[in-house]
Amino acid sequence: MSTKKIALVTGGSRGLGKDMAINLAKKGLDVVITYNSNKKAASDTIASIEEVGGNGVAIQLDARNIKSFADFKKELSEQLKADFNTSNIDYLINNAGFGHEGSVADTTEEAFDELLNIHFKGVYFLTQTLLDTLNDGGGIVNISSGLSRFSLPGYSAYASMKGAIEVYTRYLAKELGGRKIKANTVAPGAINTDFNKERFEQAPQVVDIIASMTALGRVGESEDIGSIVAFLCTDDAAWVNGQRIEASGGMFI
Ligand SMILES: NC(=O)c1ccc[n+]([C@@H]2O[C@H](COP(=O)([O-])OP(=O)(O)OC[C@H]3O[C@@H](n4cnc5c(N)ncnc54)[C@H](OP(=O)(O)O)[C@@H]3O)[C@@H](O)[C@H]2O)c1
């Protein structure tokens, strides 16, 4: 059996999740990542994990599709047995996601439901599905957003889901404390990933506006986030529980 701790990162094929996976590997954890449709990007992440001396496997998961979670759990269990000779993980990082811009007036029910399913309902039930896969003494990190603290027009639905995740995280911390499982939220500010690509390309001035509203004077990069999540998955962070850690370079402070 592997003596290393194992972390599962949803949406580990690109952006923040990829950097989390690499940083977890650097800290000596084995890593399972999920991707939705981008198998090539997932393979690239596994290659990056191996480059830093780690071990990783990738599994497909549509994190909106709650009905698929039982099958995912089965596949995860088989992969864990095959690659790491165990059935359990130590850390679950609920990171997979996509954005949507729309004012309160313009947001459709379909767009709302998509955001609900990926950012809240999916996270709620994937965590529920994996409760007995998670080792006692491990942890959960849910990825929120700076937008749950400050309000920008166009993000009401997305930010509301992130707010819900923060409440859920505190309940996880409370209910799972008896098993010594910690639950925390990491809330990134605006980060330069594919998530914002279209917006930054269509309106490059947004990058300057975000930088001017950020105490550290720039937009975030994926590399600003992964190490924080990896830290939370170590014994050095063993006493951090039920917290929201914002990593935004000081946006709107
Ligand atoms: N970037 C920001 O400014 C920012 C700020 C605050 C919070 N966040 C949050 O950080 C998380 C990651 O964002 P990111 O910037 O890294 O985005 P990204 O670069 O666009 O990467 C998204 C990741 O999520 C996966 N994914 C997308 N749809 C999925 C689905 N239906 N089921 C499963 N996986 C899916 C993608 O998989 P494929 O590669 O297969 O498509 C990819 O791995 C999200 O929860 C986002 O809300 C981002």
Side-chain angles (χ1 to χ4, degrees), residues 121-140:
K121 200 172 168 188
V123 172
Y124 192 104
F125 286 102
L126 184 65
T127 306
Q128 182 193 71
T129 302
L130 297 180
L131 279 181
D132 61 359
T133 302
L134 204 53
N135 279 326
D136 290 359
I140 298 165

Side-chain angles (χ1 to χ4, degrees), residues 45-92:
T45 300
I46 300 301
S48 299
I49 288 170
E50 287 167 359
E51 267 169 38
V52 298
N55 303 304
V57 291
I59 305 177
Q60 197 278 333
L61 169 73
D62 182 347
R64 293 167 299 190
N65 185 359
I66 286 120
K67 301 258 179 299
S68 73
F69 291 173
D71 284 344
F72 171 75
K73 182 180 182 177
K74 205 163 157 268
E75 194 180 347
L76 173 67
S77 166
E78 285 164 11
Q79 281 284 350
L80 288 170
K81 266 263 163 282
D83 287 79
F84 306 124
N85 195 25
T86 178
S87 309
N88 287 16
I89 59 172
D90 298 285
Y91 295 98
L92 168 64

Side-chain angles (χ1 to χ4, degrees), residues 9-18 20 34-39 41-42 45 60-65 94-99 114 118-119 143-147 158 162 186-196 199-200 219-220 222 225 247:
V9 183
T10 68
S13 45
R14 291 182 288 124
L16 306 186
K18 178 174 184 174
M20 291 169 201
T34 74
Y35 63 96
N36 181 35
S37 55
N38 209 328
K39 198 172 182 178
T45 300
Q60 197 278 333
L61 169 73
D62 182 347
R64 293 167 299 190
N65 185 359
N94 286 302
N95 161 75
F98 46 76
E114 282 281 288
I118 187 86
H119 289 293
I143 304 305
S144 179
S145 166
L147 288 164
Y158 170 79
K162 292 302 197 185
V186 171
I191 312 284
N192 183 20
T193 64
D194 292 344
F195 187 90
N196 286 315
R199 188 162 154 250
F200 287 176
V219 166
S222 300
I225 306 300

Side-chain angles (χ1 to χ4, degrees), residues 150-172:
F150 47 76
S151 310
L152 290 178
Y155 296 98
S156 59
Y158 170 79
S160 297
M161 306 310 164
K162 292 302 197 185
I165 275 306
E166 294 180 8
V167 174
Y168 180 44
T169 305
R170 286 199 301 276
Y171 273 82
L172 285 170

